[in-house]
Amino acid sequence: MTVDMTGLFTQIDHIGIAVPDLDAAISMYENAFGMKMTHREFNDEQGVEEAMMAIGDSGSFIQLLAPTREDSPIAKQLAKKGPGIAHMGYRVADIEPVMEGLKEAGMTLLYPEPKTGTAGSRINFIHPKSAGGVLVEIVQPGDAH
Ligand code: V0V
Ligand code: CO
């Protein structure tokens, strides 16, 4: 199968940011940046508590990520590099063909099958080693998105 990737990444869904204190980060984004929180949840599988901050009505978000476990990717990033950008999340309508096309393009996906992300979305990641030093997430929104 050969997938034409043209236009399959439709917009920036979110930029993930590692933070040590979720409440403090939400306050900063609300008070200094005037952004509204539209969603907050725990994701046990990913070891995070996260908050989605809307960037106006653009449809793109900042995803604030605080670790809930010492061995989680966000905890590791905070320990090694401190707070900062964790990943770039692109929205796609249908994640399976996009995963296929990325593999055909030589990208290393972290998961063989999509996992559950924010608000019932379906997600996967491209390893930063195969994407120019950027941890890239692909996001198929859930019904609640
Ligand atoms: C590590 N590296 C990164 C990076 N983390 N590069 C760019 N951005 C990052 N965030 C580089 C690092 O500098 C190393 O390069 C190399 O990758 C291996 O790093 P490491 O410290 O040994 O880290 P690993 O291998 O333990 O973990 C890296 C991966 C891990 C990407 C495998 O972070 C991971 O599994 N991430 C996917 C899951 C995740 O991020 N979940 C939290 C968000 P050098 O030094 O060797 O050159 S959950 C989420 O977004 C949700 C729920 C949602 O959106 O809905
Ligand atoms: Co994310």
Side-chain angles (χ1 to χ4, degrees):
M1 190 171 88
T2 301
V3 179
D4 179 3
M5 291 295 290
T6 308
L8 295 190
F9 284 19
T10 57
Q11 74 170 84
I12 293 175
D13 186 275
H14 64 269
I15 296 167
I17 299 187
V19 303
D21 179 334
L22 191 61
D23 289 322
I26 292 167
S27 292
M28 191 193 94
Y29 277 75
E30 284 176 340
N31 298 326
F33 298 165
M35 293 186 192
K36 287 202 170 66
M37 183 175 73
T38 57
H39 187 77
R40 181 172 179 159
E41 74 176 48
F42 283 96
N43 186 320
D44 290 333
E45 189 175 32
Q46 295 291 338
V48 294
E49 185 181 9
E50 53 124 317
M52 283 295 202
M53 310 300 297
I55 307 171
D57 58 5
S58 65
S60 301
F61 298 83
I62 295 297
Q63 180 179 53
L64 301 173
L65 297 155
T68 55
R69 290 196 301 270
E70 285 304 314
D71 64 343
S72 64
I74 295 298
K76 284 184 70 174
Q77 181 179 341
L78 285 170
K80 276 192 183 173
K81 298 182 191 159
I85 293 181
H87 59 264
M88 175 73 89
Y90 294 102
R91 195 172 301 165
V92 303
D94 190 4
I95 197 167
E96 273 87 4
V98 171
M99 285 171 52
E100 195 57 40
L102 290 169
K103 279 190 276 185
E104 287 177 355
M107 299 278 156
T108 304
L109 297 178
L110 291 188
Y111 311 132
E113 302 293 336
K115 290 194 185 281
T116 302
T118 308
S121 58
R122 300 171 72 227
I123 63 173
N124 206 335
F125 292 87
I126 306 171
H127 197 283
K129 287 281 183 203
S130 62
V134 179
L135 177 58
V136 172
E137 179 182 347
I138 46 174
V139 185
Q140 177 185 331
D143 294 338
H145 222 71

